[in-house]
Amino acid sequence: MKRIDITPEATEVVRKLEETHGSLIFHQSGGCCDGSAPMIFEKDDMYLDDSDVFLGEPGGVPFYMNKDQFEYWQHTHLTIDITQGRGSSFSLEIPLGLRFIIHSRLFNEQEQAYFQQLKK
């Protein structure tokens, strides 16, 4: 079971960004500006520490979320998508006139039980 997925449209944008920037990383901080939106950076441009939670590798790109933000999202399945428009972040897709967004849904009972047992 996965906590996070990515749409084919968002995957296509990720592939274009990888061609230009190389290895990438997603991060969702919950901070200012578009901090509650997923942002994508060159892998070496993102500093991670104990306050970041690894959620998976949607589209082959590691996705981390700040643990304070994760407290709010831990009971949901997330799907990264792409939409038209410029966000107010430093995410690599912004110059393309696009921005990544998150669609979420609550875990079903089976998913909830699975992720609860992982916490033990």
Side-chain angles (χ1 to χ4, degrees):
M1 279 185 216
K2 297 187 289 185
R3 286 188 174 278
I4 191 159
D5 282 310
I6 189 168
T7 65
E9 296 81 10
T11 299
E12 185 177 320
V13 173
V14 167
R15 295 297 161 254
K16 288 178 186 177
L17 294 172
E18 285 175 325
E19 289 173 10
T20 303
H21 300 282
S23 296
L24 303 172
I25 188 169
F26 275 110
H27 191 267
Q28 187 168 332
S29 69
C32 72
C33 307
D34 280 344
S36 59
M39 293 182 266
I40 196 165
F41 304 102
E42 291 181 12
K43 188 173 182 181
D44 294 335
D45 285 349
M46 186 67 213
Y47 172 75
L48 300 171
D49 60 24
D50 291 343
S51 68
D52 297 299
V53 178
F54 176 72
L55 299 184
E57 292 191 357
V61 176
F63 188 103
Y64 292 85
M65 182 180 284
N66 179 271
K67 69 180 179 181
D68 292 336
Q69 184 80 340
F70 180 70
E71 287 299 313
Y72 293 108
W73 294 81
Q74 67 181 319
H75 305 291
T76 60
H77 179 273
L78 307 175
T79 301
I80 301 170
D81 202 355
I82 196 79
T83 190
Q84 294 287 323
R86 291 184 51 90
S88 58
S89 74
F90 300 103
S91 193
L92 295 174
E93 80 282 4
I94 299 303
L96 302 175
L98 302 169
R99 60 186 286 182
F100 289 107
I101 60 171
I102 289 284
H103 298 290
S104 65
R105 65 166 174 79
L106 290 174
F107 284 141
N108 62 36
E109 288 182 21
Q110 183 182 11
E111 291 167 321
Q112 186 66 32
Y114 175 79
F115 289 112
Q116 281 295 334
Q117 68 103 64
L118 289 179
K119 291 173 88 174
K120 296 177 184 177

